[in-house]
């Protein structure tokens, strides 16, 4: 098949008009690698090979575009190409080429991911670790990268977050403590680190919430109990809500029982 004309199609691609009234679109690299500019001829037996080479370049370009948005793990590229219905063989070949070209490196990806997460999110190391594992990063790489994180950075980050959350959380001192422990555990911080940071605060029950809880219990049970029995019952209920003995004593006194 003689090539009658080369017509630029899109970035990096040319449409080849053939003497059999047909046309094919090939990447510039395929045209150059196969000397089509010089020979201006495509042999019938070469067509399949040209189209395979063209498809390989197309898939490689898709992967590069996906990486250009942000760094990717090997698993992310593999999953992306699978969604594009690329064959497993070509996926493996493309990933191998990307690794050799330096565009894919799980260690570099994990390191950048950890730095970004610590900088722009409230997540702790355990949550970051779980996310990295979901992204296909091996435990060995994850542990190595997280072990390199300065513990003082984590403590400072937790300290700043703790200061804000202590002001927000309401309720009894014990319930506030439990809420804070659960909150930061869910964020992925080490429990002992959380408790160490909490020990620096003298948590106080919210007086407004204490009065509200007391009034609610009083109105609910005043028809069933009276006097010291009512006081005792309310005290037990408040205690189960995490209020301290001092909190309860103050609530009882403020409401005229002492």
């Amino acid at each position: 098949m003689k090539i009658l004309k080369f017509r630029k199609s899109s970035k990096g691609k040319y449409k080849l008009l053939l003497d059999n009234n047909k046309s094919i679109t090939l990447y510039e690299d395929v045209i150059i690698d196969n000397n089509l500019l010089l020979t201006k001829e495509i042999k019938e037996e070469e067509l399949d090979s040209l189209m395979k080479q063209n498809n390989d370049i197309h898939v490689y370009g898709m992967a590069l575009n996906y990486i250009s948005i942000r760094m990717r793990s090997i698993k992310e590229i593999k999953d992306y190409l699978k969604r594009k219905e690329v064959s497993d063989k070509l996926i493996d070949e493309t990933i191998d080429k990307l690794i050799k070209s330096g565009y894919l490196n799980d260690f570099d990806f994990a390191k950048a991911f950890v730095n970004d997460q610590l900088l722009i999110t409230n997540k702790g190391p355990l949550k970051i670790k779980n996310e990295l594992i979901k992204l296909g990063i091996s435990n060995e790489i994850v542990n190595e990268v997280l072990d390199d994180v300065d513990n003082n950075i984590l403590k400072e980050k937790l300290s700043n977050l703790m200061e804000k959350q202590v002001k927000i959380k309401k309720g009894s001192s014990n319930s506030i403590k439990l809420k804070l422990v659960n909150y930061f555990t869910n964020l992925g911080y080490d429990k002992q680190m959380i408790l160490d940071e909490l020990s620096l605060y003298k948590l106080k029950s919210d007086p407004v919430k204490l009065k509200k809880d007391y009034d609610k219990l009083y109105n609910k049970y005043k028809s069933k109990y009276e006097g010291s029995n009512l006081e005792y019952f309310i005290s037990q209920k408040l205690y189960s809500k995490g209020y301290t003995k001092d909190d309860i004593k103050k609530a009882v006194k403020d409401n005229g029982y002492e």
Side-chain angles (χ1 to χ4, degrees), residues 106 132-133 136-144:
D106 273 357
L132 281 171
I133 289 173
I137 309 301
S138 68
N139 276 304
E140 291 78 11
I141 290 178
V142 173
N143 291 333
E144 184 177 351

Side-chain angles (χ1 to χ4, degrees), residues 141-190:
I141 290 178
V142 173
N143 291 333
E144 184 177 351
V145 170
L146 287 175
D147 285 345
D148 285 340
V149 176
D150 189 340
N151 209 43
N152 290 323
I153 293 176
L154 294 176
K155 287 182 178 179
E156 183 179 359
K157 185 178 178 69
L158 178 59
S159 176
N160 292 333
L161 292 171
M162 185 75 74
E163 186 176 357
K164 294 177 183 178
Q165 289 299 317
V166 166
K167 296 175 182 177
I168 296 172
K169 296 292 186 281
K170 303 296 181 183
S172 67
S173 57
N174 287 332
S175 68
I176 291 173
K177 181 178 180 180
L178 183 60
K179 288 175 184 176
L180 289 169
V181 171
N182 288 337
Y183 177 80
F184 287 107
T185 298
N186 289 333
L187 277 180
Y189 289 91
D190 176 72

Side-chain angles (χ1 to χ4, degrees), residues 177-239:
K177 181 178 180 180
L178 183 60
K179 288 175 184 176
L180 289 169
V181 171
N182 288 337
Y183 177 80
F184 287 107
T185 298
N186 289 333
L187 277 180
Y189 289 91
D190 176 72
K191 189 170 183 180
Q192 190 56 55
M193 185 183 287
I194 297 169
L195 294 174
D196 289 344
E197 187 62 34
L198 268 175
S199 68
L200 303 177
Y201 291 87
K202 187 175 181 181
L203 299 176
K204 294 181 180 180
S205 298
D206 177 21
V208 175
K209 184 70 167 59
L210 173 59
K211 186 176 189 319
K212 184 178 179 181
D213 286 342
Y214 180 93
D215 290 343
K216 186 177 180 180
L217 289 167
Y218 178 82
N219 292 327
K220 184 176 181 179
Y221 294 106
K222 65 181 179 180
S223 60
K224 290 185 177 182
Y225 306 96
E226 59 181 25
S228 59
N229 287 333
L230 177 59
E231 176 191 339
Y232 176 79
F233 188 83
I234 291 176
S235 295
Q236 292 303 306
K237 288 290 184 180
L238 290 174
Y239 190 74

